[in-house]
Amino acid sequence: MQFHQFFSPSVQHTLDVVGIFVFAISGALLAVRKNFDVFGIAVLAEVTALGGGLIRDVIIGAVPPAAFTDLGYFVTPLLAALLVFFLHPHVERIQVGVNVFDAAGLGLFCVTGTTKAYDYGLGLTASACLGLATAVGGGVLRDVLANETPSLLRWDRDLYAVPAIVGATMVVLCIRYDALTPLTSGFAVITAFVLRLLAMRFHWRAPRAWNRRSTVREE
Amino acid sequence: MQFHQFFSPSVQHTLDVVGIFVFAISGALLAVRKNFDVFGIAVLAEVTALGGGLIRDVIIGAVPPAAFTDLGYFVTPLLAALLVFFLHPHVERIQVGVNVFDAAGLGLFCVTGTTKAYDYGLGLTASACLGLATAVGGGVLRDVLANETPSLLRWDRDLYAVPAIVGATMVVLCIRYDALTPLTSGFAVITAFVLRLLAMRFHWRAPRAWNRRSTVREE
Amino acid sequence: MQFHQFFSPSVQHTLDVVGIFVFAISGALLAVRKNFDVFGIAVLAEVTALGGGLIRDVIIGAVPPAAFTDLGYFVTPLLAALLVFFLHPHVERIQVGVNVFDAAGLGLFCVTGTTKAYDYGLGLTASACLGLATAVGGGVLRDVLANETPSLLRWDRDLYAVPAIVGATMVVLCIRYDALTPLTSGFAVITAFVLRLLAMRFHWRAPRAWNRRSTVREE
């Protein structure tokens, strides 16, 4: 039995497509802000949505990656790009909604990424790492392509990695104690999702280095 | 029969080396403009020339990638780097010539990238995507390493992705309707090549998002 | 017999962990300078320490990469990140010591990277390239993620690639002439290490392009 097909295939696929869609929206919106043209918007939407899973699949040897074998995974970001292209002031106005969906994508991908890596024979710690990479990798590629410092790494952004780390850790603990069920998987998704929502609501941030003396300009 | 060996091997290899050479020139010239040293010039030439095919090969599971199994593919960018190192004002003066060759490389790689991906069992849409990635991936890596916004994504650059998309699409349509021959392949190469030349000649550009309100500084 | 297990496994492993640790320190210090939070410090430490080997393993098809199969390789950068987080002014004060260890990591990784690639069936030139990529890849990823121009490519940095190229070339010459022993491997490590120390001591730099006319601002 493969854990990453834990939910029924159709439920899993629907959840994946929703996560891909909201990640694509965030990539397309950054592309609009960076003044890219319509193809730049589409490329950034694709990379943001599929990049995390692509990194995971290449590392665990699951080639060709799911991003290239499922047409729905490929078309979804294009739809998101079109939507942003025509309606972006409205999409921006509903930024709160986008953030909520993005948090849902984060929670979902950290769980499915972890279970897929474990299915491919990786250890528990490595699986959790790849779960984290699945959840945040697309956003990092998005920021690198847009020539911005990855918001994942910046201290002045609300916690993003921690919810995904918590979700991935819950999954590997469940695997370790033989308790991974659809229920516990779903609970891990929801925990990561809610933690991210709380981090945004209360502007939780992680500390910077102690005794920090700025040796480069603040940015 | 493998489509990506459609042309006779020696013709195919010669075309590949020409494409690699002109892409390497564009990487080396950017390195000179960025003030890199001779090793930086060589690295950027290699990455620009081989990066697109490398990304494709890693994704389709064709490892070790062609870039590491064919000595000619590796040495060619070094020759381009040396040429630019010693003669770059002259190379810059013939920028028009470089652009023409770069357009030829774009046309060639979008076609061979698509057919190689299809040979490795990917679907038609995925093959076309990987053809596009083969053609433009090296240039994106070049710009990321040089810490510039990828010119592929910028609205103020002449169309670059579209000719490659057209060429790759022609190839998958030919495959779909069982009409891929050296003649039709060559026609796809030439179509992409000519479209790129026209885009440069008439400064064709793609639109930006509708109702764009600049939310970051123009760049 | 696999060359990359040439040293006794425990010696090899200890050397690897030392190299990983010092590379991680350099990543963590850059993260502090860039004002990243504690997770950004950890991510940059991991990427810097493991990125070069990861690139090599994905390219030669050694998946899952060693970085994900050896817990020690994963935990070491976290310890380095913690150390820098709490003690970074002290770590910076001993920058000279960090540079010496980084040079040791460079020498070690160019040799082990080359032998591992050769073990996986790559040719001599390709193996040397991948040895170089193993040694310098992590630092390039570090700089790209931190949104800086890779110091590998900049002319105003002391020679970094050359010592690794020399070490990797010595290894492939030894393989070619059937003379690769622990002694000659160790000699290659030490040669690269000492060359890098000398480059730092005497500020050896590589030339920029001849007749360079600055066409962009100096940076």
Side-chain angles (χ1 to χ4, degrees):
Chain A
M1 170 182 189
Q2 290 196 295
F3 282 127
H4 76 282
Q5 297 171 342
F6 211 87
F7 303 108
S8 80
S10 62
V11 171
Q12 173 71 55
H13 196 265
T14 306
L15 291 172
D16 277 353
V17 167
V18 170
I20 285 170
F21 184 79
V22 292
F23 277 176
I25 294 279
S26 88
L29 283 174
L30 180 60
V32 171
R33 289 203 190 99
K34 294 289 287 190
N35 221 348
F36 292 167
D37 68 21
V38 61
F39 297 100
I41 296 171
V43 167
L44 217 57
E46 291 280 355
V47 167
T48 309
L50 305 175
L54 195 61
I55 291 171
R56 177 203 58 207
D57 288 350
V58 165
I59 286 177
I60 65 178
V63 291
F68 286 94
T69 54
D70 186 306
L71 200 57
Y73 291 175
F74 172 74
V75 172
T76 302
L78 294 184
L79 295 179
L82 271 182
L83 197 75
V84 168
F85 183 76
F86 287 110
L87 299 173
H88 79 97
H90 307 281
V91 179
E92 287 200 342
R93 211 169 295 142
I94 57 163
Q95 183 71 47
V96 173
V98 171
N99 283 342
V100 171
F101 279 104
D102 181 84
L106 185 76
L108 188 71
F109 283 178
C110 73
V111 170
T112 56
T114 303
T115 50
K116 181 163 184 184
Y118 186 77
D119 282 337
Y120 273 78
L122 277 82
L124 293 175
T125 309
S127 297
C129 279
L130 284 166
L132 176 62
T134 308
V136 307
V140 170
L141 285 181
R142 173 197 67 206
D143 294 340
V144 166
L145 284 186
N147 203 14
E148 307 242 309
T149 301
S151 76
L152 175 74
L153 305 175
R154 296 177 60 160
W155 75 275
D156 55 351
R157 291 290 188 277
D158 304 328
L159 283 188
Y160 196 85
V162 175
I165 292 171
V166 170
T169 305
M170 286 173 68
V171 172
V172 296
L173 286 177
C174 286
I175 294 175
R176 175 69 185 77
Y177 293 107
D178 221 3
L180 194 71
T181 65
L183 194 72
T184 54
S185 293
F187 187 62
V189 171
I190 287 166
T191 304
F193 173 55
V194 170
L195 275 178
R196 170 64 185 153
L197 290 183
L198 291 172
M200 286 191 291
R201 175 71 185 76
F202 298 107
H203 298 298
W204 289 344
R205 287 176 186 172
R208 286 175 286 170
W210 286 17
N211 309 310
R212 197 178 57 81
R213 300 165 313 176
S214 212
T215 54
V216 290
R217 70 191 187 286
E218 299 278 329
E219 14 190 3
Chain B
M1 173 184 186
Q2 292 197 295
F3 282 128
H4 76 281
Q5 297 171 343
F6 211 88
F7 302 108
S8 79
S10 62
V11 171
Q12 174 71 57
H13 196 265
T14 305
L15 292 172
D16 278 352
V17 167
V18 169
I20 285 170
F21 184 79
V22 291
F23 278 175
I25 294 278
S26 88
L29 284 174
L30 179 60
V32 170
R33 287 203 192 100
K34 296 289 287 191
N35 221 349
F36 292 167
D37 68 19
V38 61
F39 296 102
I41 296 171
V43 167
L44 217 58
E46 291 280 354
V47 167
T48 309
L50 304 175
L54 196 61
I55 292 171
R56 177 203 59 209
D57 287 349
V58 166
I59 286 177
I60 65 179
V63 291
F68 286 95
T69 55
D70 186 309
L71 200 59
Y73 291 174
F74 172 74
V75 172
T76 301
L78 294 184
L79 295 179
L82 270 182
L83 197 74
V84 169
F85 183 75
F86 286 112
L87 299 173
H88 80 96
H90 308 283
V91 179
E92 288 200 340
R93 212 169 294 142
I94 56 164
Q95 183 72 46
V96 173
V98 171
N99 283 341
V100 171
F101 278 104
D102 181 84
L106 184 76
L108 188 71
F109 283 178
C110 74
V111 171
T112 56
T114 303
T115 50
K116 182 164 183 182
Y118 185 76
D119 283 337
Y120 273 78
L122 277 83
L124 293 174
T125 310
S127 297
C129 279
L130 284 166
L132 176 63
T134 308
V136 307
V140 170
L141 285 181
R142 173 197 66 205
D143 294 341
V144 166
L145 284 186
N147 203 14
E148 308 242 308
T149 301
S151 76
L152 176 73
L153 306 175
R154 297 176 59 160
W155 74 276
D156 56 350
R157 292 289 188 276
D158 304 328
L159 284 187
Y160 196 86
V162 175
I165 292 172
V166 170
T169 305
M170 287 173 67
V171 171
V172 297
L173 287 177
C174 286
I175 294 175
R176 175 70 185 75
Y177 294 105
D178 221 1
L180 194 70
T181 63
L183 194 71
T184 55
S185 293
F187 187 63
V189 171
I190 286 166
T191 304
F193 172 55
V194 169
L195 275 179
R196 171 64 185 154
L197 290 183
L198 291 172
M200 287 192 290
R201 175 72 186 74
F202 298 107
H203 298 298
W204 287 344
R205 285 175 188 174
R208 286 174 286 171
W210 287 16
N211 308 311
R212 196 179 59 80
R213 299 164 315 175
S214 214
T215 53
V216 291
R217 72 191 185 287
E218 299 276 330
E219 6 190 9
Chain C
M1 172 184 186
Q2 290 196 296
F3 281 128
H4 76 283
Q5 298 171 342
F6 211 89
F7 302 108
S8 79
S10 63
V11 171
Q12 173 71 56
H13 196 265
T14 306
L15 291 173
D16 277 353
V17 167
V18 170
I20 285 169
F21 184 78
V22 291
F23 278 175
I25 293 278
S26 88
L29 283 174
L30 179 61
V32 171
R33 289 203 190 100
K34 296 288 289 191
N35 222 348
F36 292 167
D37 69 18
V38 60
F39 297 101
I41 296 172
V43 168
L44 218 57
E46 291 280 354
V47 168
T48 309
L50 305 176
L54 195 61
I55 292 172
R56 177 203 57 209
D57 287 350
V58 165
I59 286 178
I60 65 178
V63 291
F68 286 94
T69 54
D70 185 307
L71 200 59
Y73 290 176
F74 172 74
V75 172
T76 302
L78 294 184
L79 296 179
L82 271 182
L83 196 75
V84 168
F85 183 76
F86 286 110
L87 299 173
H88 79 97
H90 308 281
V91 178
E92 289 202 338
R93 210 169 295 142
I94 55 163
Q95 183 71 47
V96 173
V98 171
N99 283 342
V100 171
F101 278 103
D102 181 84
L106 185 76
L108 188 71
F109 283 178
C110 73
V111 170
T112 56
T114 303
T115 49
K116 182 165 183 183
Y118 186 77
D119 283 337
Y120 273 77
L122 277 83
L124 293 175
T125 310
S127 297
C129 278
L130 284 165
L132 175 62
T134 308
V136 307
V140 169
L141 285 180
R142 173 197 65 205
D143 294 340
V144 166
L145 284 186
N147 203 14
E148 307 243 308
T149 301
S151 77
L152 175 74
L153 305 174
R154 297 177 58 160
W155 74 276
D156 56 350
R157 292 290 188 277
D158 304 330
L159 285 186
Y160 195 86
V162 175
I165 292 172
V166 169
T169 305
M170 287 174 67
V171 172
V172 297
L173 286 177
C174 286
I175 294 175
R176 175 70 185 77
Y177 293 106
D178 221 3
L180 195 70
T181 64
L183 194 72
T184 54
S185 292
F187 187 62
V189 171
I190 287 166
T191 304
F193 172 55
V194 169
L195 276 179
R196 171 64 183 153
L197 290 183
L198 291 172
M200 286 192 291
R201 176 71 186 75
F202 297 107
H203 299 298
W204 288 344
R205 286 175 187 174
R208 287 175 286 171
W210 287 17
N211 308 311
R212 197 179 56 79
R213 300 163 314 176
S214 214
T215 53
V216 291
R217 71 189 186 287
E218 299 277 332
E219 15 192 0

